[in-house]
Amino acid sequence: MSTNSAKILIVDDISTNRILLKQALKLLGFEQVIEAENGIEAIAVFEKEKPHLVIMDIMMPDMDGCQAASIIKEKAGNEYIPIIFLTALSSDDALSTALASGGDDFLSKPFNVPVLESKINAHFRIRELNNQVSEQNAQLMVANRRLRDEHDLIEHFFENAIHRSDLDNELVRYHMSSLSVFNGDILLASRAPHGGYYLIMGDFTGHGLTAAMGTLPVAMIFFKMVAEGHAVGDIAREINLQLNKLLPPSMFFVASVLELGSSGDSLSIWMGGMPEHYWLSKDGQLKGRIKSQHMPLGVCNDNEFDTGVRLLNIEQGDQFYLYSDGVVEARNTDAELFGHERLLQTLLEETDNRFDKVLKKLTSFTGDNSQNDDITLVELTCHALPKQVLSKIKAEADFPFELEMNVTLHAKDMKNDRVIPRLMDVLSSLPLVRHHKEILSVVLTEVYSNILDHSILGFESRTKNSESHFNDYYEKRNQALQQLQDAEVTFKFKLVRENDSPCLDIEVTDSGSG
């Protein structure tokens, strides 16, 4: 603050003292100097003139300097108004009382002009710093208020997305523990029109709001495509396509997308980058460790993406355990990891309430150690699902008319190893077909593989009855396929109504030996 702009209030009941002090201040360059004769007048002048600094005598009639200082400090609020006491007192107790009442410094009478100047300049520097801090605090309060409003808005979106999930039923038990306000883990579930139960569980890289932002497009795509009855692989593909466009290169989404068939005897699963899942029988026996076979979502370009799923034949009561890496990477106070094997061992040694006992074991293991990642654990128990009744309008929209479609593959087409996935892309345009895409893909892959190997290329099954023969078989098969010149395989698809229900007839013919 410049000396020309600073306003200083002098408070002293002796006019000679005020005159001497005012002249000294003017010599130091302070032009705006105002006066008061006692504490009461000082308070009135302070409220009217708003000075930047007060120089005040302690011993005055009516109201002394200590009383006036307390009231002035209260009226100044958060603004720093330095008060320098000018006094003839010398005892430590008297000076301590003066400073405790609100004074910031003192100067002994008779005053020394250079000392006065240095004290005033020092307190103006403190005042300037205090003003800067106050301004920054005000800016921070505005920013925090804006951030809080944005958090509330985003949290509203998240809550709406999560609340759409059909997780409160006897199929799924889950536990989600976020490292911060927002969760980078996501768990969504929904029934499809054809009756299947879909679930997606995943984990974005990072933590907090940055990681959680990716959950919004995932939720929108998932619920929309489930409502339209798309296959698991296609849902994963669409999520990958959108995340690949939206996310920075350093961010991706490890995820599992699965569908439990309405009859409860089949489960299809697409896994990208997730920790292995455990498949247990009703009596607690391990039936499988399901490992990821794909890259995380958001990493691959669309033309590189593999929609292939694993199709499992399951039994009523089978249970699947899915978890994020926050479970196995949880540490105890000795920095030891909870780990995959400890998790699996806990699952296998328990006969009932496995889910609760895993959580109890995890909590006991970590003890007082702080959580270092988002944690999600899911238990899916498989059984037949309640029937869903589709409206007549919906059924008619899905199956407006009968149709036929023929697809002929020639030798050049057969050299491409993605023939069936591309064929399935075409068939998926039929609403009723895409509801059963995984199973249809398995059937067509098996039929086409047998036709190609045994009818077109003429190989016998016994040529691959051992590991060495198997490798030799595939080497000869690839050579024969590259040399193939003239061959055809024709698929005939006919979508008809039988007993007022849709039915897909498939006929396959080929130019080989049959």
Side-chain angles (χ1 to χ4, degrees):
M1 175 178 293
S2 68
T3 56
N4 290 331
S5 61
K7 184 184 293 186
I8 298 177
L9 169 62
I10 299 172
V11 186
D12 198 311
D13 60 321
I14 300 174
S15 61
T16 304
N17 291 342
R18 295 199 304 272
I19 292 170
L20 289 174
L21 188 54
K22 185 172 184 179
Q23 288 176 344
L25 291 172
K26 287 188 177 292
L27 287 174
L28 294 175
F30 296 100
E31 299 294 337
Q32 299 188 70
V33 180
I34 51 180
E35 302 176 34
E37 294 184 3
N38 55 53
I40 295 175
E41 186 179 341
I43 294 169
V45 173
F46 174 81
E47 289 186 307
K48 180 181 179 182
E49 298 291 342
K50 306 297 182 187
H52 304 111
L53 182 141
V54 179
I55 301 175
M56 182 149 47
D57 187 22
I58 294 179
M59 303 301 294
M60 294 183 294
D62 298 327
M63 180 183 286
D64 65 26
C66 293
Q67 293 172 306
S70 296
I71 297 172
I72 288 174
K73 283 291 188 180
E74 184 179 350
K75 292 183 177 296
N78 293 326
E79 185 180 3
Y80 179 66
I81 304 295
I83 297 177
I84 301 175
F85 283 124
L86 190 62
T87 180
L89 298 175
S90 59
S91 70
D92 291 340
D93 289 343
L95 295 174
S96 296
T97 301
L99 293 176
S101 68
D104 298 287
D105 208 340
F106 64 89
L107 190 64
S108 299
K109 292 180 180 180
F111 61 86
N112 180 287
V113 175
V115 174
L116 175 63
E117 181 181 24
S118 63
K119 286 181 178 289
I120 291 174
N121 289 337
H123 284 287
F124 275 151
R125 286 196 297 271
I126 295 173
R127 174 182 164 82
E128 186 66 27
L129 290 172
N130 187 78
N131 289 342
Q132 291 176 9
V133 171
S134 297
E135 184 178 348
Q136 290 170 354
N137 285 339
Q139 293 173 352
L140 283 174
M141 289 181 63
V142 172
N144 284 336
R145 191 178 302 112
R146 185 184 303 118
L147 184 61
R148 187 169 59 251
D149 292 342
E150 291 173 353
H151 275 211
D152 291 344
L153 180 61
I154 295 170
E155 189 172 12
H156 172 76
F157 288 140
F158 289 148
E159 298 242 339
N160 281 352
I162 299 300
H163 287 164
R164 289 184 60 188
S165 287
D166 184 15
L167 290 169
D168 294 328
N169 56 53
E170 58 184 7
L171 287 175
V172 175
R173 299 188 67 193
Y174 68 97
H175 169 81
M176 300 185 76
S177 176
S178 176
L179 182 63
S180 59
V181 176
F182 295 104
N183 200 339
D185 288 1
I186 184 172
L187 175 64
L188 305 171
S190 183
R191 289 287 299 272
H194 59 276
Y197 183 79
Y198 287 74
L199 184 145
I200 181 170
M201 178 195 153
D203 178 10
F204 279 92
T205 49
H207 311 291
L209 181 58
T210 303
M213 286 302 296
T215 63
L216 296 177
V218 169
M220 292 174 65
I221 295 167
F222 175 77
F223 288 120
K224 180 177 184 294
M225 295 190 72
V226 170
E228 294 173 353
H230 288 276
V232 163
D234 291 334
I235 294 174
R237 180 178 183 176
E238 182 62 23
I239 292 173
N240 176 78
L241 176 64
Q242 298 306 322
L243 294 184
N244 185 260
K245 294 177 181 178
L246 293 173
L247 299 182
S250 60
M251 191 174 176
F252 52 82
F253 180 47
V254 298
S256 293
V257 189
L258 57 85
E259 179 197 1
L260 174 65
S262 58
S263 58
D265 59 2
S266 66
L267 185 139
S268 56
I269 182 168
W270 184 100
M271 288 179 65
M274 284 289 287
E276 63 183 9
H277 302 332
Y278 301 123
W279 174 16
L280 274 64
S281 65
K282 184 177 182 179
D283 58 2
Q285 299 300 310
L286 182 64
K287 299 180 74 170
R289 299 171 72 140
I290 306 172
K291 298 181 181 295
S292 176
Q293 297 178 322
H294 304 289
M295 296 288 286
L297 296 170
V299 174
C300 299
N301 294 324
D302 189 53
N303 58 0
E304 301 171 325
F305 190 80
D306 185 0
T307 59
V309 301
R310 184 171 178 180
L311 187 61
L312 305 175
N313 294 318
I314 59 178
E315 297 178 287
Q316 301 286 320
D318 281 359
Q319 291 183 313
F320 289 83
Y321 291 88
L322 291 66
Y323 55 94
S324 65
D325 57 9
V327 174
V328 293
E329 293 179 3
R331 296 179 181 270
N332 60 16
T333 52
D334 296 325
E336 181 185 4
L337 293 173
F338 188 72
H340 297 274
E341 294 308 318
R342 195 188 313 273
L343 171 60
L344 180 57
Q345 180 184 358
T346 305
L347 289 170
L348 294 178
E349 68 188 12
E350 303 295 344
T351 56
D352 58 347
N353 294 326
R354 296 188 191 93
F355 181 83
D356 292 333
K357 290 176 180 178
V358 168
L359 289 180
K360 184 178 179 180
K361 185 72 170 283
L362 180 62
T363 302
S364 175
F365 176 81
T366 55
D368 296 330
N369 208 29
S370 58
Q371 183 176 332
N372 57 13
D373 196 0
D374 299 324
I375 290 176
T376 300
L377 176 68
V378 178
E379 177 188 77
L380 173 66
T381 302
C382 304
H383 54 73
L385 303 170
K387 295 292 184 182
Q388 289 195 151
V389 180
L390 301 180
S391 68
K392 183 176 180 181
I393 295 176
K394 176 68 177 175
E396 289 177 353
D398 277 350
F399 190 52
F401 40 71
E402 297 184 356
L403 58 86
E404 291 186 22
M405 182 172 66
N406 297 338
V407 178
T408 300
L409 306 177
H410 301 282
K412 62 181 179 61
D413 303 312
M414 299 176 199
K415 297 176 183 180
N416 189 318
D417 60 0
R418 290 187 53 80
V419 168
I420 298 302
R422 291 183 176 180
L423 179 59
M424 291 308 306
D425 287 342
V426 175
L427 291 176
S428 295
S429 62
L430 306 175
L432 290 174
V433 171
R434 67 170 175 245
H435 297 166
H436 309 282
K437 183 177 178 181
E438 269 80 25
I439 295 176
L440 184 57
S441 177
V442 171
V443 171
L444 292 181
T445 298
E446 186 67 19
V447 170
Y448 174 70
S449 179
N450 284 331
I451 288 175
L452 183 61
D453 288 0
H454 308 309
S455 181
I456 300 295
L457 299 179
F459 288 98
E460 297 183 8
S461 298
R462 59 185 175 86
T463 60
K464 50 180 177 179
N465 58 7
S466 69
E467 185 175 345
S468 59
H469 288 162
F470 191 87
N471 292 333
D472 183 56
Y473 166 81
Y474 268 97
E475 184 176 343
K476 291 180 179 179
R477 179 185 182 277
N478 288 334
Q479 290 176 356
L481 194 58
Q482 295 306 315
Q483 296 171 1
L484 189 63
Q485 297 293 326
D486 187 18
E488 286 187 357
V489 176
T490 299
F491 293 87
K492 295 182 179 180
F493 301 97
K494 190 173 184 180
L495 190 60
V496 298
R497 286 188 183 277
E498 290 187 2
N499 299 322
D500 204 34
S501 296
C503 179
L504 179 66
D505 289 336
I506 306 172
E507 179 183 339
V508 189
T509 58
D510 66 87
S511 61
S513 58

